[in-house]
Amino acid sequence: NAGVTQTPKFQVLKTGQSMTLQCAQDMNHNSMYWYRQDPGMGLRLIYYSASEGTTDKGEVPNGYNVSRLNKREFSLRLESAAPSQTSVYFCASSELGSGYTFGSGTRLTVV
Amino acid sequence: QKEVEQDPGPLSVPEGAIVSLNCTYSNSAFQYFMWYRQYSRKGPELLMYTYSSGNKEDGRFTAQVDKSSKYISLFIRDSQPSDSATYLCAMGRGAGSYQLTFGKGTKLSVIP
């Protein structure tokens, strides 16, 4: 009963490096989301995918790109990491109008 | 005015106390309301979901929605140390909408 699986769990990057955060869900949900969570800022939506083949910007998309690879997988890419992208990243999935199921998060530090 | 306001706390209560957590919102388009619990260094997990005004009970937890006042609450009875976590409210706009709007969370500590 995996739910939403995120990899890696921890990552340290140097400024300017790139990386991809992976997310996979096994609940056959249509919609998937990427959030970042920062102290005092709460959860902020970066990108979402309402269904396979579609992606849309959320509240804080700058510096990120996403790919909905198939119904199960939704990846988040940082092309040129900046210290401001130090955060905890959560992937989530849902069906329309229902609650989200979150992954356990990726703790990213950019130095 | 932010769409969703939630007192960040922290809130500290003795074991066995009744806890009241609250959120207010400004957008009358919100149709469904949720509470998530987030333990330290974990992802949020859905605790309660309600689609209408009134009360919904699940064990020691009661979710209350007052759409006329744009106010939602989560009550925890007989609080336990295992309830120590951050509680986030979340709201959605209903049919056709995929996005939830989250409060910033209230950190709760239940002291044995």
Side-chain angles (χ1 to χ4, degrees), chain B:
Chain B
Q1 181 184 10
K2 293 186 173 64
E3 275 195 305
V4 178
E5 300 272 8
Q6 183 175 10
D7 186 337
L11 182 62
S12 185
V13 302
E15 183 175 353
I18 296 174
V19 176
S20 173
L21 304 167
N22 311 294
C23 286
T24 59
Y25 63 96
S26 58
N27 192 339
S28 58
F30 289 132
Q31 297 295 320
Y32 57 96
F33 306 89
M34 303 172 197
W35 285 95
Y36 286 81
R37 178 175 61 195
Q38 185 175 20
Y39 291 116
S40 180
R41 295 184 169 265
K42 301 289 187 183
E45 57 177 331
L46 182 64
L47 198 58
M48 299 285 283
Y49 179 113
T50 182
Y51 203 87
S52 60
S53 285
N55 293 353
K56 180 177 181 179
E57 191 173 317
D58 184 1
R60 295 185 296 110
F61 298 89
T62 299
Q64 189 175 80
V65 175
D66 183 346
K67 287 187 178 180
S68 62
S69 300
K70 296 188 178 66
Y71 188 88
I72 69 170
S73 299
L74 177 71
F75 297 97
I76 307 174
R77 290 183 299 281
D78 187 25
S79 56
Q80 302 295 310
S82 59
D83 295 327
S84 298
T86 296
Y87 291 80
L88 302 105
C89 63
M91 307 180 186
R93 288 174 172 77
S97 173
Y98 298 91
Q99 297 184 46
L100 295 180
T101 301
F102 285 86
K104 293 185 178 180
T106 300
K107 186 171 184 179
L108 171 68
S109 296
V110 181
I111 311 302

Side-chain angles (χ1 to χ4, degrees), chain A residues 1 4 22 24 28 31 33-34 42-43 49 55-56 61-62 65 67-69 75-76 82 85 88 95 103 105 110:
Chain A
N1 212 18
V4 177
Q22 306 286 355
N28 204 36
S31 304
Y33 314 82
W34 276 105
L43 285 163
S49 171
T55 60
D56 283 289
N62 291 344
N65 284 300
S67 295
R68 183 73 183 267
L69 305 170
S75 64
L76 178 72
Q85 294 177 306
V88 182
E95 284 300 324
V110 182

